[in-house]
Amino acid sequence: MIEPFILFGEQHIETLAYTFGIIILICLISNFISTSLQNIVTKIIGISLLGFEIIRPFLYIFVFEKPWETYLPLHMCAFSAFLIGIFLLSKSRNQMFFELPYYWGVGGATMALATPDLTLGWPDVEYFFFFYGHGQILLGVFFALTVLKYRPHLQNFKRMAVITIVLLIPIYAANFLIGGEANYWYLMDKPAGDSLAVFMPEAPYHILGIAPLALIVFFITYVPFLLWDKFKKA
């Protein structure tokens, strides 16, 4: 029998430890291998990111018979996976294809892993898909950061914020048109489970708290670089 998911229960803590441990190990080892091997690892991560995001909706909808309205790749983390996957596989890498997943991924995926929108624990397939999918987003971002030596820049933060806010309109429209329980980017209702959203007003006013909170979290992810730049100038 599959047990209910318990936030910060033993299983959750162990899964977080394994997830971040694997990310750190891969990034660490990849700094001590040849450039040709780095290129192979880069491609493997990129293919895994794109392949998983393309295949996952079909598995959910046609194999596990989940409602199609809620399993389309329209969440922010799915966008992050596609962008960082394309970034890793591209020869001429677009900086914003790194920076958008950096903010959306480090801010969004980390919060998702810390407060998963799950009701059942392992070995439920959704539990595995959730941690694998979000974990490899962070792997792609931190691989680009620590191995490929890309970094976000403050002048692009405003562009990221504008892109994020502008995308709220088509994502809200998609939720409205899809109907049912569609809740992409959590614009229609607060996420299920325990998270900071429980302190927000009820829908639809919850977005007035979630949107600025998201931008604050995104900026916090830039703070280490801000401090590093000030340290170098000192």
Side-chain angles (χ1 to χ4, degrees):
M1 182 178 177
I2 300 175
E3 297 293 329
F5 173 77
I6 300 174
L7 184 68
F8 296 122
E10 182 179 353
Q11 189 180 81
H12 185 198
I13 296 295
E14 288 180 356
T15 306
L16 288 174
Y18 285 131
T19 300
F20 289 109
I22 291 170
I23 292 170
I24 292 170
L25 186 63
I26 292 174
C27 291
L28 186 63
I29 292 174
S30 296
N31 273 286
F32 295 96
I33 60 179
S34 65
T35 302
S36 59
L37 285 176
Q38 282 183 1
N39 291 335
I40 293 173
V41 176
T42 303
K43 288 181 172 60
I44 291 173
I45 297 172
I47 291 170
S48 178
L49 280 158
L50 295 181
F52 183 74
E53 290 302 324
I54 292 170
I55 295 171
R56 180 172 59 171
F58 291 96
L59 291 176
Y60 273 133
I61 296 167
F62 297 108
V63 178
F64 305 115
E65 299 181 343
K66 300 286 188 178
W68 70 269
E69 295 92 342
T70 56
Y71 285 91
L72 299 176
L74 295 176
H75 271 300
M76 183 178 285
C77 285
F79 285 17
S80 299
F82 280 119
L83 288 175
I84 194 64
I86 293 170
F87 174 85
L88 293 174
L89 294 175
S90 300
K91 290 184 179 179
S92 56
R93 295 182 173 121
N94 186 310
Q95 177 70 16
M96 289 307 293
F97 276 44
F98 164 72
E99 294 209 27
L100 287 170
Y102 174 80
Y103 292 112
W104 292 350
V106 175
T110 303
M111 289 189 68
L113 291 173
T115 57
D117 184 7
L118 296 170
T119 56
L120 297 175
W122 176 260
D124 181 63
V125 67
E126 194 162 359
Y127 184 92
F128 171 76
F129 280 2
F130 187 92
F131 281 94
Y132 181 81
H134 289 85
Q136 70 170 355
I137 293 170
L138 293 179
L139 172 60
V141 169
F142 280 104
F143 189 89
L145 187 70
T146 62
V147 180
L148 303 182
K149 309 304 181 185
Y150 281 81
R151 58 155 290 178
H153 298 284
L154 187 59
Q155 62 266 30
N156 290 331
F157 183 86
K158 184 177 179 180
R159 291 178 62 192
M160 180 281 302
V162 170
I163 290 171
T164 303
I165 293 170
V166 169
L167 281 174
L168 294 178
I169 299 172
I171 297 299
Y172 183 87
N175 282 318
F176 183 79
L177 292 172
I178 293 169
E181 297 182 6
N183 189 27
Y184 299 103
W185 290 36
Y186 301 111
L187 296 179
M188 310 306 284
D189 200 358
K190 295 189 286 187
D194 296 323
S195 69
L196 292 175
V198 300
F199 302 105
M200 304 297 175
E202 293 302 315
Y205 303 105
H206 70 295
I207 196 62
L208 298 176
I210 288 179
L213 174 63
L215 292 178
I216 291 171
V217 170
F218 294 159
F219 185 76
I220 289 173
T221 64
Y222 183 77
V223 168
F225 298 96
L226 190 65
L227 296 176
W228 175 248
D229 290 339
K230 288 187 177 181
F231 172 78
K232 289 195 298 183
K233 292 179 180 179

